[in-house]
Amino acid sequence: MEDYRQTKGRIFDIQKFSVHDGDGIRTIVFLKGCVLRCRWCCNPESQEYGIQTMRVDGKEKVIGRDVTVAEVMKAVEQDRPYYYRSGGGLTLSGGESLCQPEFARDLLRAAKECGIGAAMESMAYAKYEVIEGILPYLDHYLLDIKHMDSAKHKEYTGKENRLILENAQKIAHSGQTRLSIRVPVIPTFNDSVEEIRAIARFAKELPRVEKLHLLPYHRLGQDKYEGLGREYGMKEIIPPTEERMFQLKKAAEMESGLVCQIGG
């Protein structure tokens, strides 16, 4: 029988001691490849599956490397005491982890079998059969819902949202994992009270949703576009104010009755 810990995948970073993207102290593994092209993406180096060269601090840096599950887990397991004390663990991010379904599944399986909490940050843009194969190894699904209007979703991300919303419902009704909904709050795209309320109404109808996260737009990835020789299409957009974020938080809570948090 083939050892699943030898499954190979392509990553571009491993970030340790993170307090975002799940509970407690986490190690985040960033996978290469994404089906969307969100205008505001803060990890543009994640979008292409291919290995790239990006200029960072005036120097050329290779972005992307091929690894096995065992190699990644060696780095993850180094911080097991921190996970135990804080309730943390491994989080898969990207990109979109579902673009490498076998690798994502086997990483999560390895974490679970080692007694390490397993989470995934994803927009669920894949056939449900792919997601279904991953759910048994997942403790917490951090699911991005960006907009309820399919045409506007396609305008800003390159894809319609129908598959994402259908999969969100299936994941929630499966009862197999904890579920949190994450909303990147992007001025000109979805930062009106009405748009946030629409997402909150959708989240309200999903069983087992624990929390709604509103993630304010920032410009931290802007320099990466220049490093990749690409134009950043959101440079005129100003991040939402703290006051505005609290206004949207209040609207989401009133609409959904869910616990709503600014940041992730």
Side-chain angles (χ1 to χ4, degrees), residues 45-62:
E45 74 274 37
S46 74
Q47 294 177 350
E48 297 293 338
Y49 176 75
I51 294 175
Q52 298 166 284
T53 300
M54 182 170 74
R55 198 159 187 83
V56 180
D57 296 328
K59 298 179 181 179
E60 296 292 322
K61 180 180 179 181
V62 175

Side-chain angles (χ1 to χ4, degrees), residues 16-221:
K16 294 191 169 193
F17 304 109
S18 175
V19 293
H20 302 290
D21 299 321
D23 301 328
I25 296 171
R26 312 199 68 81
T27 296
I28 305 177
V29 179
F30 293 88
L31 277 64
K32 269 281 213 171
C34 189
V35 290
L36 301 191
R37 292 296 180 268
C38 302
R39 293 185 188 178
W40 59 88
C41 180
C42 61
N43 288 328
E45 74 274 37
S46 74
Q47 294 177 350
E48 297 293 338
Y49 176 75
I51 294 175
Q52 298 166 284
T53 300
M54 182 170 74
R55 198 159 187 83
V56 180
D57 296 328
K59 298 179 181 179
E60 296 292 322
K61 180 180 179 181
V62 175
I63 304 295
R65 59 189 173 100
D66 294 330
V67 293
T68 64
V69 168
E71 288 170 332
V72 173
M73 288 306 300
K74 185 176 180 180
V76 172
E77 291 188 68
Q78 289 171 349
D79 297 321
R80 181 188 292 272
Y82 299 103
Y83 311 144
Y84 177 75
R85 293 169 191 160
S86 68
L90 166 70
T91 299
L92 302 188
S93 189
E96 168 55 69
S97 302
L98 298 176
C99 288
Q100 299 187 54
E102 294 82 10
F103 184 55
R105 179 199 63 209
D106 290 350
L107 274 173
L108 295 168
R109 177 182 174 185
K112 288 277 282 186
E113 292 188 356
C114 290
I116 294 173
M120 182 171 69
E121 188 274 321
S122 160
M123 81 283 292
Y125 197 96
K127 292 181 179 179
Y128 186 69
E129 291 74 20
V130 170
I131 298 171
E132 202 170 26
I134 288 174
L135 290 178
Y137 308 110
L138 191 60
D139 296 312
H140 195 180
Y141 206 127
L142 305 163
L143 177 57
D144 282 12
I145 301 289
K146 306 178 196 302
H147 211 289
M148 294 306 297
D149 182 86
S150 191
K152 195 166 187 181
H153 193 280
K154 184 175 182 179
E155 178 186 356
Y156 278 77
T157 73
K159 298 287 185 181
E160 295 180 351
N161 65 357
R162 181 178 59 83
L163 181 61
I164 294 169
L165 300 182
E166 288 178 357
N167 282 338
Q169 293 172 327
K170 291 175 181 178
I171 292 164
H173 283 92
S174 77
Q176 288 187 269
T177 182
R178 296 168 56 202
L179 179 62
S180 294
I181 302 299
R182 292 153 56 96
V183 185
V185 177
I186 315 297
T188 71
F189 172 59
N190 67 354
D191 68 328
S192 73
V193 168
E194 292 74 18
E195 287 165 314
I196 294 299
R197 279 180 174 166
I199 296 172
R201 279 195 299 274
F202 178 77
K204 179 182 179 179
E205 298 305 315
L206 300 176
R208 296 175 63 88
V209 171
E210 294 187 351
K211 193 176 287 188
L212 187 63
H213 294 259
L214 300 182
L215 311 178
Y217 165 74
H218 59 73
R219 295 170 169 169
L220 297 180

Side-chain angles (χ1 to χ4, degrees), residues 12 42-45 54 220-229:
F12 67 94
C42 61
N43 288 328
E45 74 274 37
M54 182 170 74
L220 297 180
Q222 185 171 346
D223 290 345
K224 296 179 179 181
Y225 287 82
E226 183 177 345
L228 289 168

